[in-house]
């Protein structure tokens, strides 16, 4: 991966539907999402133990979709942005703590910062490593198809978040679906995708899970609209 070699990070849900990134510092570790649950629970837990050791692990949620929160129940508490509380799907048997813009987590040698990135959901956030010029972006950046669900998504917020990402001074986005590492410049394409979607210029194809439509740009990125 084209990410700084001095940062220790691992995908605990390697091979699964949604990534679960563990970033390990000298004193502590931070876990970004817990995946879709299609990775064996014992394997997930043993990977966590293997890479984090005895360091305390803070669990942060990029957004509250079920394919990112499957193993939250293994943790006593988790952080998320309060704006996603409204889209909570099912029960997550742990205590929720609110995230706020600019909140930081010092792992020892690695400092991570919360960046609000609404659009995919109202409470979508990124986890930024400013010094090492990368950001975990959940489902906001994707080389493939981004789910945009009515009642949760906002295309104008989405485009504004892309603009925000482009101004952060990072090189790469660490994504949960499709390509793991996507250069931040892809955010320009995603801004164009919003404009093209609104103008009816993306190519409409069959949806997923038996409904909706997928709207795709020439590079293969685009949106899934369940209700379209
Ligand atoms: Zn999502």
């Amino acid at each position: 991966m084209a990410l700084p070699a001095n940062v220790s990070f691992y995908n605990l849900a390697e091979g699964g539907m949604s990534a679960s990134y563990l970033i390990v510092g000298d004193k502590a570790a931070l876990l970004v999402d817990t995946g879709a649950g299609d990775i064996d629970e014992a394997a997930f837990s043993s990977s966590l133990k293997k890479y984090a050791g005895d360091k305390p692990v803070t669990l942060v949620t990029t957004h509250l979709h079920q394919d990112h929160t499957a193993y939250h129940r293994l943790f006593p508490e988790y952080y998320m942005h309060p704006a996603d509380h409204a889209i909570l799907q099912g029960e997550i048997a742990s205590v929720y703590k609110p995230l706020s813009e600019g909140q930081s987590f010092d792992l020892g040698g690695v400092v991570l910062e919360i960046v609000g990135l609404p659009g995919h959901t109202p409470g979508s956030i990124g986890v930024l490593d400013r010094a090492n010029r990368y950001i975990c972006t959940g489902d906001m950046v994707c080389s493939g198809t981004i789910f945009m669900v009515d009642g949760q998504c906002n295309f104008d917020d989405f485009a504004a978040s892309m603009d925000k990402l482009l101004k952060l001074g990072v090189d790469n986005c660490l994504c949960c679906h499709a390509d793991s590492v996507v250069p931040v410049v892809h955010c320009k394409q995603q801004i164009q995708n919003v404009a093209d979607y609104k103008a009816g210029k993306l190519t409409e194809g069959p949806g997923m899970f038996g409904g909706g439509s997928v709207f795709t740009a020439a590079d293969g990125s685009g949106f899934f609209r369940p209700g379209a």
Side-chain angles (χ1 to χ4, degrees):
M1 281 202 263
L3 284 171
N6 61 315
V7 182
S8 297
F9 56 86
Y10 311 92
N11 177 7
L12 300 189
E14 192 75 53
M17 181 182 159
S18 311
S20 166
Y21 291 113
L22 180 74
I23 301 155
V24 183
D26 297 330
K27 296 180 301 191
L30 187 139
L31 182 60
V32 182
D33 295 347
T34 56
D38 53 349
I39 295 297
D40 180 63
E41 183 179 323
F44 178 89
S45 295
S46 73
S47 294
L48 179 65
K49 184 72 183 166
K50 176 180 170 186
Y51 299 124
D54 293 327
K55 292 168 184 169
V57 178
T58 299
L59 174 58
V60 168
T61 316
T62 59
H63 65 293
L64 258 193
H65 280 160
Q66 271 177 326
D67 59 328
H68 296 255
T69 61
Y71 291 138
H72 273 42
R73 58 185 165 75
L74 303 178
F75 296 80
E77 61 183 32
Y78 67 97
Y79 284 89
M80 72 163 183
H81 192 284
D84 263 15
H85 200 262
I87 65 163
L88 181 61
Q89 301 166 325
E91 273 301 306
I92 298 177
S94 46
V95 175
Y96 139 67
K97 297 175 82 171
L99 286 172
S100 57
E101 179 79 25
Q103 188 170 352
S104 68
F105 297 90
D106 187 348
L107 309 182
V110 181
V111 177
L112 300 172
E113 193 181 317
I114 301 303
V115 178
L117 298 173
H120 174 64
T121 66
S124 286
I125 59 98
V127 179
L128 168 66
D129 184 337
R130 208 178 274 278
N132 292 302
R133 302 174 63 88
Y134 74 92
I135 181 167
C136 300
T137 45
D139 284 355
M140 285 294 291
V141 176
C142 185
S143 59
T145 303
I146 298 173
F147 282 41
M148 295 295 266
V149 180
D150 281 338
Q152 300 181 358
C153 74
N154 183 304
F155 280 95
D156 292 333
D157 288 350
F158 184 89
S161 290
M162 292 303 109
D163 199 46
K164 189 174 180 181
L165 280 168
L166 286 164
K167 291 171 179 163
L168 283 179
V170 300
D171 300 316
N172 288 300
C173 302
L174 208 46
C175 309
C176 287
H177 303 292
D179 292 332
S180 301
V181 181
V182 173
V184 74
V185 71
H186 181 63
C187 294
K188 289 184 183 174
Q189 175 69 44
Q190 293 194 177
I191 290 171
Q192 188 63 47
N193 287 353
V194 170
D196 287 348
Y197 171 74
K198 288 183 173 182
K201 291 181 180 172
L202 296 181
T203 304
E204 183 171 358
M208 305 177 194
F209 311 112
S213 292
V214 170
F215 298 85
T216 312
D219 75 339
S221 66
F223 306 113
F224 171 46
R225 299 283 286 140

